[in-house]
Amino acid sequence: MNSFQEVFIRYRELMEIAVYGVAILLILIGLYAVLTKKHLVKVVIGLSIMDAGVNLLFVGVGYITNHTAPIFSPGYEDAADKMVDPVPQALVLTAIVIGFAVTALALSLVIRLYRHHKTANIEQLNSLRW
Amino acid sequence: MLKKIFVLFLLTVTGVALWQSFRHAPFGENRVGDVENPETVSAFYLKHSPETLHTANSVTAIVVNFRGFDTLGEVTVLFLAATGLASILYRRKEDEEEEGGHLPVRVKLKSSTLVRTGAKILFPLILLLGIYVFVHGHLTPGGGFQGGAIIATGFLLMFITYKRFNVNHKIMVWLESLSGLAFVLIGLYGLVAYGSFLQNIPWTGRLNDLISGGLIPLIYIFIGIKVATELTNVLDTLMNTKPRKK
């Protein structure tokens, strides 16, 4: 094994830690916010961060080292074997739109709760507690 | 204290489980396989997007053509979210009058001259960029959803700059419904003419032409209009939400 290969493998490991690590970290940060925060808007922000983490993880799985975007622009018409996986990107496009819909609906519910109870703190929303 | 420990435990378990499972899918590994003799669905899409559909952007080809029915469902989810938001935040006229005034209290202070002039200049340019992005959705990165989101940001700029800027709801609702209906009609045309829902027409033009890919640009233009009007409606609803007066 020559030194170039060694550098390449080290680079790949580093990128794996960087992309997967950051994505999983985002998911964990979002989960932490959802589990511990008292204010409902912060819970919605946590959901949003989790969403971003899952999307990043998904696109990261589809990446292929040294391959280009799956777009056959002029000059790249025959480069199909040099392109990254397009399926995760298409699915993430769907997931982003659904994430937007979820965030918008959740925020509207929070606004409604705030209007009714004058607070968005889940500790004080105790009308269903026994 | 116990709760904190439990949360930490849960986070650790989740993190380790995710990390361990993704160790089995090494980063940057080629999992697509041979494109010429496709064995995976990705390779199939990469082979047939330029060859049979003549669509340069294969993500667009997947979203609008191969998985077009999925996208119809996605557009429906977006529509339901916009409708649900409007109905959850709906307020009766009497309530509004009770609380005084029709003018939304979205911005209390007047924006500066600089912001108002800048917004006026930027607004048509943002609309133009959005339209460009969704018309070229099959050639360049972008498409209906992205172009629609760009147009909605243009409207957001106007909403936060001008107090009295209002969109015509009737036009918005009509545009939204007609573009959604057009999407379904294109799908039904495929069903009637070629035997399966959202089937593309056989004529697909030449790779990298503006008019290529059969029905793909047409569908993406309708999706762009629909997403733009829906996001603008969501923004409008959220911006006009008033806090209850004491």
Side-chain angles (χ1 to χ4, degrees):
Chain A
M1 190 188 285
N2 59 37
S3 62
F4 176 74
Q5 270 173 323
E6 247 170 53
V7 168
F8 181 71
I9 288 172
R10 174 60 53 82
Y11 167 79
R12 207 163 125 166
E13 276 171 358
L14 272 178
M15 283 308 283
E16 182 168 325
I17 291 168
V19 175
Y20 285 175
V22 166
I24 292 172
L25 197 68
L26 279 177
I27 295 174
L28 293 185
I29 289 171
L31 196 62
Y32 175 78
V34 170
L35 286 175
T36 58
K37 290 297 159 189
K38 301 279 185 277
H39 198 280
L40 275 172
V41 173
K42 286 183 182 170
V43 174
V44 176
I45 291 174
L47 276 177
S48 223
I49 294 173
M50 248 165 109
D51 208 40
V54 172
N55 290 343
L56 185 59
L57 194 60
F58 213 178
V59 171
V61 171
Y63 179 73
I64 301 169
T65 314
N66 288 332
H67 284 210
T68 180
I71 297 172
F72 297 86
S73 336
Y76 289 87
E77 280 101 342
D78 303 320
D81 51 350
K82 276 275 158 202
M83 284 179 179
V84 300
D85 197 344
V87 176
Q89 301 194 7
L91 292 180
V92 163
L93 180 59
T94 311
I96 289 171
V97 176
I98 305 299
F100 164 78
V102 168
T103 312
L105 261 186
L107 277 178
S108 74
L109 286 173
V110 172
I111 292 172
R112 193 76 203 199
L113 267 174
Y114 180 80
R115 241 188 228 165
H116 196 76
H117 295 278
K118 306 275 187 302
T119 175
N121 188 332
I122 43 175
E123 300 249 296
Q124 287 163 30
L125 296 172
N126 48 11
S127 46
L128 271 180
R129 201 181 272 171
W130 65 84
Chain B
M1 192 60 206
L2 194 70
K3 196 185 154 193
K4 279 243 164 76
I5 292 170
F6 177 69
V7 166
L8 265 179
F9 173 73
L10 199 65
L11 289 182
T12 322
V13 168
T14 318
V16 170
L18 277 173
W19 181 255
Q20 284 302 324
S21 43
F22 278 94
R23 291 295 289 184
H24 297 293
F27 183 73
E29 192 190 49
N30 192 342
R31 284 180 286 268
V32 173
D34 188 12
V35 176
E36 285 310 309
N37 308 299
E39 285 177 349
T40 60
V41 69
S42 311
F44 178 85
Y45 289 160
L46 275 178
K47 181 179 160 67
H48 285 278
S49 155
E51 275 179 20
T52 47
L53 285 174
H54 296 103
T55 308
N57 187 346
S58 56
V59 176
T60 297
I62 295 171
V63 166
V64 183
N65 197 82
F66 295 118
R67 297 175 61 84
F69 194 50
D70 191 33
T71 305
L72 185 61
E74 180 187 351
V75 170
T76 316
V77 168
L78 200 59
F79 171 73
L80 279 179
T83 321
L85 191 96
S87 58
I88 288 171
L89 294 179
Y90 177 74
R91 324 198 71 180
R92 282 170 301 160
K93 265 267 155 54
E94 303 91 76
D95 288 355
E96 269 180 15
E97 270 155 23
E98 206 174 281
E99 285 152 25
H102 285 285
L103 192 68
V105 283
R106 55 167 91 117
V107 189
K108 289 241 171 64
L109 296 170
K110 207 177 168 191
S111 331
S112 73
T113 319
L114 203 63
V115 174
R116 276 182 289 140
T117 317
K120 229 180 234 171
I121 297 171
L122 275 177
F123 180 58
L125 293 178
I126 293 173
L127 289 198
L128 190 68
L129 175 68
I131 292 169
Y132 173 86
V133 166
F134 70 64
V135 167
H136 288 75
H138 57 303
L139 300 177
T140 55
F145 295 102
Q146 295 89 329
I150 290 172
I151 291 177
T153 58
F155 279 104
L156 178 63
L157 180 68
M158 293 306 269
F159 280 141
I160 58 179
T161 312
Y162 293 96
K163 263 193 222 176
R164 287 167 190 277
F165 182 80
N166 267 316
V167 290
N168 188 334
H169 281 278
K170 211 158 241 176
I171 295 178
M172 285 308 213
V173 168
W174 272 103
L175 267 178
E176 189 186 336
S177 322
L178 284 180
S179 48
L181 195 67
F183 192 1
V184 177
L185 284 180
I186 289 173
L188 286 178
Y189 171 73
L191 184 67
V192 170
Y194 305 109
S196 77
F197 192 71
L198 277 169
Q199 175 73 40
N200 210 338
I201 53 174
W203 182 87
T204 46
R206 240 172 10 141
L207 192 64
N208 278 314
D209 273 3
L210 181 58
I211 298 176
S212 64
L215 293 171
I216 289 175
L218 199 63
I219 295 176
Y220 238 7
I221 286 170
F222 287 130
I223 292 179
I225 295 170
K226 195 167 163 58
V227 170
T229 48
E230 259 158 18
L231 295 196
T232 309
N233 273 341
V234 166
L235 288 174
D236 191 35
T237 319
L238 283 177
M239 294 297 255
N240 284 320
T241 304
K242 289 191 284 188
R244 175 166 289 199
K245 291 237 177 73
K246 291 281 153 62

